[in-house]
């Protein structure tokens, strides 16, 4: 998937790192030259200096061929302009925008080109899932120096792991289930824990690929 993120603040940078670690083609646009210089060492992410509210900058950053644009600046008016340009001028299929001020939430709809409006307090994982439309296994973060990958997978009634205990599921080498979230509450997983549809699993591995995790649980 080709992704363009407008705004290289903490949130925009985190989203860029997560999506690039999940093998997406990611461009990150930032108007502050100082911030661009700070992020010069960012790997697997294409940095573009410029104001994403400028149609020329947006097109230069690759918006015309993007599958997803995420507007994460700290200014709602900028996020709305980026969303409108991405949808109306560049024809981006999916546009997500951060809502910084809850009083402005009513503006973030299809009239402004926004497909997904995300409140500022939304956790990073939920924001990425909402923005990308992901429904099963999502690679959330790769700790490159340690060679460790953290992967989340959500079970449905069709998942092969639903109804089975953790001990019955053969895991790839170097892989452990860190937690099972059920009903919004994390639990310490043991081999006798029976997995149910709706469970969310956080899996840590230094060897397995996302595809192997998907095959084990989905």
């Amino acid at each position: 998937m080709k992704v363009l993120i407008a705004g290289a603040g903490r949130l925009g940078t985190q989203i860029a790192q997560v999506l690039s670690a999940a093998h997406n083609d990611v461009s990150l646009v930032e108007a502050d030259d100082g911030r661009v210089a700070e992020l010069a060492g960012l790997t697997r992410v294409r940095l573009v200096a410029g104001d994403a509210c400028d149609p020329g900058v947006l097109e230069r950053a690759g918006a015309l061929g993007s599958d997803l644009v995420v507007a994460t600046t700290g200014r709602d008016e900028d996020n709305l302009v980026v969303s409108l340009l991405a949808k109306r001028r560049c024809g981006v299929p999916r546009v997500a925008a951060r809502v910084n001020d809850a009083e402005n939430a009513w503006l973030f709809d299809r009239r402004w080109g926004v497909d997904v409006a995300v409140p500022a307090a939304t956790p990073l994982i939920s924001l990425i899932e909402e923005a990308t439309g992901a429904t099963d296994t999502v690679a959330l973060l790769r700790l490159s120096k340690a060679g460790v990958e953290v992967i989340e997978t959500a079970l449905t009634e069709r998942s092969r792991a639903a109804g089975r205990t953790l001990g019955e599921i053969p895991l790839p080498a170097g892989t452990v289930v860190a937690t099972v979230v059920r009903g919004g509450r994390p639990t310490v997983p043991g081999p006798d824990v029976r997995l149910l549809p709706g469970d969310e699993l956080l899996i840590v591995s230094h060897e397995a690929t996302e595809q192997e995790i998907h095959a084990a649980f989905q």
Side-chain angles (χ1 to χ4, degrees):
M1 181 170 60
K2 187 174 182 180
V3 183
L4 187 153
I5 300 167
R10 182 183 59 83
L11 180 64
T13 303
Q14 286 179 330
I15 295 172
Q17 290 175 313
V18 170
L19 292 181
S20 64
H23 311 296
N24 294 289
D25 180 357
V26 180
S27 295
L28 182 59
V29 185
E30 175 55 48
D32 186 336
D33 290 337
R35 180 60 175 164
V36 173
E38 288 178 16
L39 298 174
L42 205 60
T43 59
R44 301 189 299 273
V45 175
R46 178 187 174 218
L47 281 171
V48 179
D51 186 351
C53 293
D54 181 334
V57 172
L58 210 56
E59 292 180 10
R60 177 163 55 86
L64 288 172
S66 292
D67 302 297
L68 168 68
V69 165
V70 186
T72 65
T73 79
R75 294 165 56 90
D76 284 343
E77 55 267 43
D78 288 352
N79 289 342
L80 288 171
V81 170
V82 170
S83 298
L84 188 63
L85 288 172
K87 181 64 69 175
R88 302 284 183 256
R89 183 183 179 101
C90 302
V92 177
R94 191 172 180 85
V95 178
R98 182 188 189 190
V99 183
N100 295 284
D101 186 342
E103 293 185 358
N104 295 329
W106 65 277
L107 288 166
F108 286 72
D109 58 19
R110 296 295 176 86
R111 293 172 299 176
W112 279 92
V114 179
D115 296 305
V116 181
V118 187
T122 302
L124 176 65
I125 294 173
S126 298
L127 189 156
I128 292 173
E129 289 179 342
E130 285 288 329
T132 61
T135 56
D136 52 16
T137 307
V138 181
L140 299 175
L141 179 63
R142 176 170 297 173
L143 306 175
S144 56
K145 290 184 179 179
V148 174
E149 196 165 18
V150 181
I151 300 171
E152 183 187 55
T153 189
L155 301 187
T156 68
E157 292 182 355
R158 294 182 296 174
S159 300
R160 68 166 61 193
R164 302 172 66 186
T165 65
L166 274 177
E168 295 173 329
I169 299 171
L171 295 176
T175 301
V176 295
V177 178
T179 189
V180 176
V181 180
R182 180 174 297 165
R185 301 176 66 89
T187 60
V188 178
D192 297 329
V193 171
R194 191 168 298 278
L195 301 175
L196 303 174
D199 285 351
E200 297 179 7
L201 286 72
L202 199 64
I203 299 145
V204 180
S205 179
H206 63 82
E207 292 185 26
T209 65
E210 182 186 355
Q211 289 74 23
E212 289 172 325
I213 297 299
H214 187 281
F217 289 94
Q218 300 295 349

